[in-house]
Amino acid sequence: MEKRIDEANFEETGYCYTLSLISGKYKPVILYCLMEYEPVRFNAMRRYLGGVADKTLSRALKELERDGLIDRTLYPQVPPWVEYTLTEKGRSLVKVLDQLCDWGARHRPQVEKSGSASS
């Protein structure tokens, strides 16, 4: 049977759902950071991302937590200590993120010592 675009709905695809969870400027980087270095504290995450506003990072972390991809653990001490880790659902994305990393490593332009990209 031939697929027909006029009968298709992108919003019903798994691809659309996945993108809805991980799209945005910082979410994929947050997930990558946690994949490589968990647990990670808020300030360490902010430094890793370089230049992200606290409010922006906080919003991305809350969305990832709401969607079940990360856990936030608050340790009741002064000052408060908060750590972020991947959930099982978040860990299930590791293979996908690894594939993105591999693809980027294979297709990234090679940089010569002079700093210019070669083809």
Side-chain angles (χ1 to χ4, degrees), residues 85-104:
T85 57
L86 293 172
T87 61
E88 280 304 311
K89 185 177 178 180
R91 281 188 191 87
S92 70
L93 278 170
V94 167
K95 184 175 180 180
V96 175
L97 295 173
D98 277 342
Q99 289 175 339
L100 287 171
C101 292
D102 292 345
W103 187 93

Side-chain angles (χ1 to χ4, degrees), residues 58-76:
S58 181
R59 181 177 41 236
L61 289 166
K62 284 178 184 172
E63 290 172 5
L64 289 167
E65 183 181 14
R66 177 199 67 208
D67 292 334
L69 298 177
I70 67 171
D71 277 327
R72 177 183 185 271
T73 304
L74 172 64
Y75 297 94

Side-chain angles (χ1 to χ4, degrees), residues 109-112 116-119:
Q110 296 299 313
V111 178
E112 296 175 6
S116 63
S118 64
S119 38

